[in-house]
């Protein structure tokens, strides 16, 4: 037990007050009033001095400290060892790889502190996995990326341990995930908030080696016959000097296309862009790879496979419009001109009258056949789940409340969430007054605006990665620079992102100085819901002279959007089976898993699934049913 002072005011100010108090008391004690005898005066001054001293003592805030017994149990010591491919580098002068040095040091720390701590060993790269010293000593660094932020954040799950926790990070310091340094900073702030110290032990030398990595925007896509599909590869580079490389697209060992890439010194990113298509159906595997760069640490992440599934059934789309409008007219013309799309359009012309236009590809050619008829019950169109099964995408314009009855909204939710359908609101809010059932389905909410506003569109980084609006015949270009100079759109409501899973692909430019979402989507069960804000997109088909060569922007936007929406769907019309996997390439340490979708009337017999490897014969597996 001890006594300490924790002054309530700065110590300099306290000393000044003490000096002034002492001076006043000295002056007072020498100036005794005539009417008070000496003994009584000394007693008065003693009480005054005692009161002043007590006040000064209280300002010092004396505190008694009593040590408390430590919490029960040992503190936790987590050892995080980087197992990414860059840790396999052998530095000059050491004779050992960085990973060998790291696991040797981790083994030394674990053994020396085993009596004082509960030691937990984990290996990490782009993910994190539990390990132990025995497995760590026999492991090899094969990870394709390093996520230091994830490793630290995952270790904080045990931060509520009563005896406390500490983390030791063994790595070469290369953090190269898409989140960037912000992920590491966020994890460090969280560790500091939870009072978890993080110690680092770094490996590697300044050898002039470089890091380069190739990533695909999408590793698998869906297309119909003769449809052009963009393949976008992003190259992430870090090195002292500028570098040159070439990205190559190959199929069955034959090079189809290549693109030279220039990279600046320091940290840089570049994009390679290719277009693929097929005139017959099937599943086609391509490989995208970049040439090795001088002094590159590892080339394991310089290539990535790409799988294209080509079908001969068109995408079936249902367009619902509350009243005739230019946007709906030009959208319908655009979809009808695409041989990969079959369209049914329902346009309300009166409260009890709906015009249905059916546009389908004529047999044996590229021409279109069209049929028209009239319906009298708009509310029953979406209420029949069997009718919706024929479509993969439903597009809704404005003033569509006649179609969106409570029964229709429930059917839409089931169709999207359980059957993988996609809903697109292509003119903002589909109804003037939003009800709670429809609001729960959409990714954003709207607030009323006093006047109509006009705005240009700017793509977000995620939107640029989608490559939706780029000319498919071009070998490069920038979606953002094209879209931002297209004619303005108009809105009379203020859209606001409100759902946790909502992802904004495009925002406004010049709408009062505050950016608002223009294109937003979110997953809803096994399907997707997309909202495109603003009216007047038909003007994008009438571009100013400087952009006449980019007149395909409007068409490519819708073609790419529909292809992206249907690439994640279940079974297309005419399909009996569909094999889906989250990845097309698995590491040897991963469990390869996939889902075989089977149309119910074709449930037996179920075909076998082949797992192909580069060094062994294909292995055959029979899928097991997982439910309805």
């Amino acid at each position: 037990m001890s006594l300490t002072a924790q002054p309530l005011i700065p110590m300099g100010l306290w000393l000044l007050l003490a000096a002034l108090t002492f001076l006043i008391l000295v002056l007072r004690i020498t100036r005794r009033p005539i009417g008070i005898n000496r003994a009584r005066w000394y007693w008065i001054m003693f009480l005054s001095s005692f009161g002043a001293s007590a006040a000064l003592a209280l300002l010092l805030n004396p505190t008694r400290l009593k040590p408390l017994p430590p919490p029960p149990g040992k503190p936790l010591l987590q050892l995080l060892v980087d197992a990414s491919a860059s840790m396999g580098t052998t530095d000059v002068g050491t004779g050992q790889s960085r990973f060998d040095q790291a696991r040797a040091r981790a083994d030394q720390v674990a053994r020396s502190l085993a009596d004082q701590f509960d030691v937990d060993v984990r290996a990490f790269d782009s993910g994190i996995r539990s390990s132990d010293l025995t497995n760590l000593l026999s492991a090899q660094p094969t990870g394709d990326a390093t996520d230091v932020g994830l490793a630290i954040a995952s270790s904080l799950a045990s931060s509520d341990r009563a005896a406390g926790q500490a983390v030791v990070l063994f790595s070469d310091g290369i953090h190269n995930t898409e989140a960037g340094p912000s992920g590491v900073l966020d994890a460090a702030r969280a560790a500091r908030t939870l009072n978890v110290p993080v110690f680092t032990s770094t490996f590697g030398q300044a050898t002039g080696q470089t890091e380069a990595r190739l990533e695909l925007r999408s590793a698998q896509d869906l297309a119909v016959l003769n449809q052009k599909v963009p393949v976008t590869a992003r190259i992430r580079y870090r090195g002292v000097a500028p570098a040159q490389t070439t990205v190559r697209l190959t199929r069955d060992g034959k090079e189809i296309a290549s693109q030279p890439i220039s990279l600046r010194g320091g940290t840089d990113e570049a994009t390679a862009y290719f277009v693929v298509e097929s005139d017959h159906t099937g599943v086609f595997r391509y490989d995208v790879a970049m040439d090795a760069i001088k002094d590159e640490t590892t080339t394991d992440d310089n290539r990535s496979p790409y799988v294209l599934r080509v079908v001969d059934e068109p995408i079936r789309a249902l367009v619902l419009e509350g009243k005739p409008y230019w946007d709906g007219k030009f959208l319908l013309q655009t979809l009808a001109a695409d041989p990969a799309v079959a369209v049914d359009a329902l346009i309300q012309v009166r409260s009890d009258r709906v015009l249905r236009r059916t546009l389908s590809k004529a047999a044996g050619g590229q021409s279109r056949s069209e049929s028209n008829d009239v319906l009298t019950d708009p509310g029953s169109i979406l209420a029949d789940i069997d009718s919706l099964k024929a479509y993969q995408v439903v597009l809704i314009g404005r003033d569509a409340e006649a179609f969106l009855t409570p029964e229709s909204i429930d059917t839409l939710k089931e169709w999207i969430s359980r059957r993988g359908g996609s809903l697109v609101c292509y003119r903002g809010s589909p109804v003037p007054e939003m009800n709670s059932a429809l609001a729960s389905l959409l990714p954003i909410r709207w607030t009323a605006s006093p006047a109509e506003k006009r705005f240009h569109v700017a793509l977000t980084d995620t939107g640029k990665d989608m490559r939706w609006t780029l000319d498919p015949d071009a070998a490069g270009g920038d979606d953002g620079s094209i879209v931002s100079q297209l004619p303005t759109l108009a809105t009379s409501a203020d859209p606001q992102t409100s759902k946790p899973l909502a992802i904004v692909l495009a925002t406004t430019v010049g709408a009062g100085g505050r950016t608002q979402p223009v294109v937003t989507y979110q997953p809803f069960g096994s399907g997707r819901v997309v909202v495109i804000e603003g009216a007047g997109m038909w003007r994008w088909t009438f571009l100013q002279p400087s952009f006449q060569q980019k007149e395909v922007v409007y068409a490519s936007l819708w073609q790419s959007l529909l292809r992206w929406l249907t690439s994640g769907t279940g079974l297309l019309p005419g399909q009996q089976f569909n094999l889906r996997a989250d990845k097309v390439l698995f590491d040897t340490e991963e469990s390869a898993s996939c889902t075989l979708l089977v149309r119910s009337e074709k449930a037996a017999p179920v075909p076998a699934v082949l797992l192909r490897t580069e060094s062994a014969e294909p292995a055959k597996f029979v899928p097991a049913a997982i439910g309805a």
Side-chain angles (χ1 to χ4, degrees), residues 458 495 507-518:
T507 60
T508 59
V509 176
R514 183 168 65 92
T515 60
Q516 294 176 328
V518 175

Side-chain angles (χ1 to χ4, degrees), residues 290-310:
M290 69 176 182
D291 295 346
I293 298 174
K294 183 180 180 181
D295 294 329
E296 189 175 356
T297 300
T298 177
T299 59
D300 291 343
D301 51 6
N302 283 21
R303 59 180 292 270
S304 181
Y306 173 79
V307 174
L308 178 67
R309 180 161 59 99
V310 181

Side-chain angles (χ1 to χ4, degrees), residues 440-443 499-503 520-524 527-530:
S440 65
L441 181 61
L442 303 180
K499 303 295 180 65
L501 296 179
I503 299 176
T520 311
Y521 87 88
Q522 73 171 7
F524 190 88
R528 296 185 176 107
V529 179
V530 181

Side-chain angles (χ1 to χ4, degrees), residues 202-469:
T202 56
F203 304 89
Q205 300 176 353
T207 59
Q209 294 176 329
T210 59
E211 299 284 344
R213 179 185 181 191
L214 182 142
E215 302 172 341
L216 292 184
R217 177 189 63 82
S218 175
Q220 47 191 335
D221 275 315
L222 173 73
V224 297
L225 292 175
N226 300 311
Q227 182 179 9
K228 296 181 178 180
V229 180
V231 181
T232 306
R234 174 183 293 172
I235 296 89
R236 300 179 184 273
Y237 172 77
R238 183 169 64 180
V240 177
Q244 301 285 333
T245 187
T246 300
V247 180
R248 306 180 190 276
L249 176 69
T250 61
R251 177 180 162 189
D252 298 330
K254 297 181 180 180
E255 182 175 313
I256 299 176
S258 63
Q259 184 176 337
I261 298 294
S262 298
L263 300 164
R264 295 172 295 183
T267 301
D268 193 19
E269 289 187 4
T271 300
Y273 178 73
F274 305 99
V275 173
V276 296
E277 62 179 323
S278 176
D279 57 1
H280 55 283
T281 61
V283 178
F284 306 94
R285 168 170 171 158
Y286 298 83
D287 283 288
V288 183
M290 69 176 182
D291 295 346
I293 298 174
K294 183 180 180 181
D295 294 329
E296 189 175 356
T297 300
T298 177
T299 59
D300 291 343
D301 51 6
N302 283 21
R303 59 180 292 270
S304 181
Y306 173 79
V307 174
L308 178 67
R309 180 161 59 99
V310 181
V311 297
D312 57 0
E313 290 289 338
I315 300 169
R316 293 195 58 84
L318 175 63
V319 180
L320 304 176
E321 184 61 74
K323 59 183 179 181
Y325 193 74
W326 286 107
D327 277 332
K329 178 180 180 179
F330 277 86
L331 171 62
L332 194 59
Q333 289 181 358
T334 300
L335 298 181
D338 187 352
V341 181
V343 187
D344 286 344
L346 301 175
I347 304 172
Q348 185 179 13
V349 292
R350 285 190 341 199
S351 60
D352 60 345
R353 186 181 179 89
V354 175
L355 174 65
R356 178 167 64 184
R357 299 179 61 193
T358 301
L359 302 172
S360 59
K361 182 179 177 181
Q366 296 291 329
S367 61
R368 288 277 181 171
S369 63
E370 179 177 346
S371 61
N372 299 319
D373 60 341
V374 175
L375 304 178
T376 58
D377 187 6
S380 65
I381 293 172
L382 296 181
D384 185 5
I385 188 67
D386 292 329
S387 298
L388 283 177
K389 288 180 182 178
Y391 302 100
Q392 290 81 54
V393 184
V394 172
L395 301 102
I396 302 181
R398 289 184 182 174
D399 303 312
E401 55 268 23
F403 300 106
L404 298 174
T405 63
E407 295 78 11
S408 299
I409 295 174
D410 291 339
T411 304
L412 264 179
K413 288 183 176 180
E414 180 183 355
W415 174 73
I416 297 170
S417 61
R418 302 191 61 181
R419 302 181 183 273
S422 297
L423 174 66
V424 180
C425 299
Y426 68 93
R427 291 175 60 199
S429 177
V431 294
E433 297 292 336
M434 187 72 60
N435 58 51
S436 58
L438 183 58
S440 65
L441 181 61
L442 303 180
I444 60 177
R445 293 189 177 93
W446 290 265
T447 57
S449 178
E452 183 179 83
K453 295 180 293 186
R454 307 200 68 84
F455 57 86
H456 286 281
V457 179
L459 295 179
T460 63
D461 291 340
T462 305
K464 293 177 182 178
D465 288 342
M466 290 292 185
R467 287 282 181 176
W468 280 356
T469 58

